[in-house]
Structure formats: structure tokens, C-alpha cells
Amino acid sequence: MVFRQRGLPPLRVAFEEGVSLLELAKRAGVTGVLGRCGGYASCGTCHVYWADGPAEIWGEGRSGVEDDVLESAASVKSDKSRLACQVMLTPGLGTVIVDIAPRQ
């Protein structure tokens, strides 16, 4: 897993199966992924963009609630936007690159 943060070198971290992308980012000390609501998809402060790697990391896609939260997020929502708290890591993903939204 590679986290890319504006103004910092990419941060490569070991993949941890069964945790959310938010939890992995917090454990790795990734700045810019805040998760102020504790992972309940209600604040939008863990907004990330899928940059490269298997699309399976996004699972079945955004829920309606997640979509609504991203609509009011500080950074622009795109078709590659997700809330890191809603992405569960599963085995066999290989290298995945995630860009941290510039504003949370």
C-alpha cells in the first residue's frame, strides 16, 4: 500500500488484511487522514482518491450515505473518491496507491 500526500514523499506501508484503509493510515502515521467521526462515515475527514492498483480495493463502491458525505467534503469529489473508513482491506490486492485529499 502506498499513500501519497501532497508535499511529502510517498509512504509505503505493509498491507494489513481485515482493517479499514483509515485504520491502516492512522497506524502508519499518515497525515491528512483524520477520521474525526471515528470511522462512521459522517464527517468526510478521511477522503482519499484511488490512484493506481486493482480496483477491487473499492469493493462494491460507495453507499448512498458515503456519497452524500463526499458531496460536502472539503476537497472535490471524483469518481475515484472514497472515505477511507469505508474501504476494508482484503487479501490479494497487490500494490495499491492512494492519494490523500488535499483538504479534509
Side-chain angles (χ1 to χ4, degrees), residues 4-103:
R4 296 191 304 199
Q5 307 164 84
R6 186 170 287 186
L8 296 171
L11 177 62
R12 185 175 296 271
V13 298
F15 177 85
E16 291 184 43
E17 178 184 337
V19 300
S20 70
L21 189 56
L22 171 63
E23 184 62 29
L24 181 63
K26 288 175 114 179
R27 289 180 189 177
V30 175
T31 59
V33 178
L34 307 175
R36 289 189 177 132
C37 69
Y40 292 102
S42 63
C43 69
T45 61
C46 64
H47 184 185
V48 298
Y49 301 102
W50 173 75
D52 196 18
E56 291 88 352
I57 189 170
W58 298 136
E60 296 179 17
R62 295 188 295 247
S63 69
V65 170
E66 183 178 2
D67 228 13
D68 290 345
V69 170
L70 286 166
E71 284 295 333
S72 61
S75 290
V76 176
K77 176 183 139 187
S78 81
D79 60 339
K80 295 185 177 188
S81 289
R82 287 298 304 267
L83 296 177
C85 66
Q86 298 302 296
V87 179
M88 293 302 292
L89 301 176
T90 57
L93 289 175
T95 299
V96 176
I97 301 172
V98 176
D99 291 328
I100 308 306
R103 293 181 295 143

